[in-house]
Amino acid sequence: MPMRKKIMVIFGTRPEATKLGPVIQELKRHADCFETRVVVTGQQKEQLYQALAHFDIVPDLDLGLMKENQTLAYITSSAITGLDKVIAGERPDLILIHGDTQTAVCGGIVAFFHRTQQILSLAGGDESENY
């Protein structure tokens, strides 16, 4: 039997969860091929968990970064530090990020730092549509 690929899905906002929810569900349906790890930064909290509940997804890890009056500098430095530890420990084969949020930027940067085999960035915002 071939070895399962470890896929880490990293996101932190409601729109990312809404777009990635069906992808995560499909990956988990194929547990014989993929070990799927869901990591959220908590860039948004309540909105994020509302979207996750819709897809019946519970994160494997929540960095819990959201705080009152958070700045982009805080999110960026905290996400890079937190994701660095997670990716170093997990060593995923592929990291999946979505959109143009600070979480996506940080996930891509840290994946590159760790020479992750594959980094997949799905388009976000107005670039993606249902055809």
Side-chain angles (χ1 to χ4, degrees), residues 15 18-23 55 98 122-131:
T18 300
K19 291 277 187 155
L20 291 170
V23 175
F55 295 103
H98 176 273
L122 299 179
D126 295 333
E127 296 178 18
S128 60
E129 296 180 26
N130 291 330
Y131 291 99

Side-chain angles (χ1 to χ4, degrees), residues 20-63:
L20 291 170
V23 175
I24 293 166
Q25 287 177 324
E26 192 63 23
L27 287 168
K28 288 187 178 251
R29 277 194 33 205
H30 297 281
D32 57 325
C33 298
F34 306 113
E35 178 186 345
T36 305
R37 303 282 290 159
V38 176
V39 178
V40 299
T41 61
Q43 184 175 339
Q44 295 176 338
K45 190 71 168 182
E46 292 81 17
Q47 298 160 323
L48 172 64
Y49 274 89
Q50 287 171 357
L52 289 173
H54 176 76
F55 295 103
D56 198 28
I57 295 171
V58 176
D60 296 296
L61 180 64
D62 183 346
L63 298 179

Side-chain angles (χ1 to χ4, degrees), residues 104-123:
V105 169
C106 295
I109 289 170
V110 176
F112 175 77
F113 289 165
H114 286 278
R115 297 188 170 126
T116 302
Q117 291 177 8
Q118 296 177 314
I119 305 166
L120 177 59
S121 176
L122 299 179

Side-chain angles (χ1 to χ4, degrees), residues 53-78:
H54 176 76
F55 295 103
D56 198 28
I57 295 171
V58 176
D60 296 296
L61 180 64
D62 183 346
L63 298 179
L65 302 184
M66 186 171 181
K67 68 177 190 174
E68 194 171 330
N69 299 314
Q70 65 191 12
T71 65
L72 288 177
Y74 163 77
I75 289 291
T76 303
S77 62
S78 300

